Amino acid sequence: MALRPFGELESDIMSVVWASEESLSIQRLTDVLNEQRPLAYTTVMTVTERLRAKGWLERTKHGRSYRYSALRSADDYTAELMEQALASSADRANALLHFAGRLDADEAVALRKALDAMPPDSHTADH
């Protein structure tokens, strides 16, 4: 199943969760998000539960409420989106060349280091 990019509020919630060193209650999420724009507690709760159902968040009982933490990293999300974009190309090698050509010098160095650090057998059979 294809990964659907996060909607705006989903993305904002995940950014707050990823930035936190501890699990967060809906109230805490709402408080942080309300620093940017007004959102109802029930709206944040609904979208947070949707993210949990999609497998991005886990919840643990904490007293009479729940706290949420990320099951998957921001890097994992970005990598999946990049893989999906690459998979939509008829010519993956050419798409990769075009992507690499758009990187700034620091990004190109980081990509080169990441590729050099990969074990030779780390590719998957479907590529």
Side-chain angles (χ1 to χ4, degrees):
M1 186 169 112
L3 173 70
R4 291 181 53 110
F6 292 142
E8 183 180 359
L9 184 51
E10 288 177 324
S11 182
D12 291 347
I13 289 170
M14 290 305 300
S15 292
V16 171
V17 171
W18 283 324
S20 178
E21 294 183 13
E22 59 187 25
S23 59
L24 300 170
S25 66
I26 296 294
Q27 187 60 59
R28 181 66 185 137
L29 278 168
T30 303
D31 291 346
V32 172
L33 293 167
N34 277 330
E35 293 172 7
Q36 305 300 316
R37 66 183 188 280
L39 291 164
Y41 177 93
T42 54
T43 301
V44 175
M45 182 175 62
T46 298
V47 175
T48 301
E49 274 299 310
R50 191 175 306 138
L51 286 163
R52 186 180 71 84
K54 291 178 180 181
W56 286 97
L57 295 175
E58 70 176 342
R59 73 177 186 194
T60 54
K61 191 81 166 152
H62 189 80
R64 291 177 26 191
S65 64
Y66 291 104
R67 290 186 176 259
Y68 294 82
S69 56
L71 284 172
R72 298 166 66 188
S73 70
D75 290 340
D76 185 39
Y77 174 70
T78 301
E80 280 199 43
L81 289 176
M82 292 171 70
E83 169 58 29
Q84 199 167 313
L86 188 58
S88 71
S89 174
D91 185 348
R92 290 173 71 100
N94 198 31
L96 282 168
L97 285 173
H98 281 275
F99 172 73
R102 294 178 183 187
L103 299 176
D104 68 27
D106 290 340
E107 292 167 336
V109 167
L111 177 59
R112 195 167 286 115
K113 284 181 180 177
L115 291 171
D116 289 345
M118 287 177 56
D121 62 349
S122 65
H123 64 283
T124 57
D126 62 346
H127 294 226

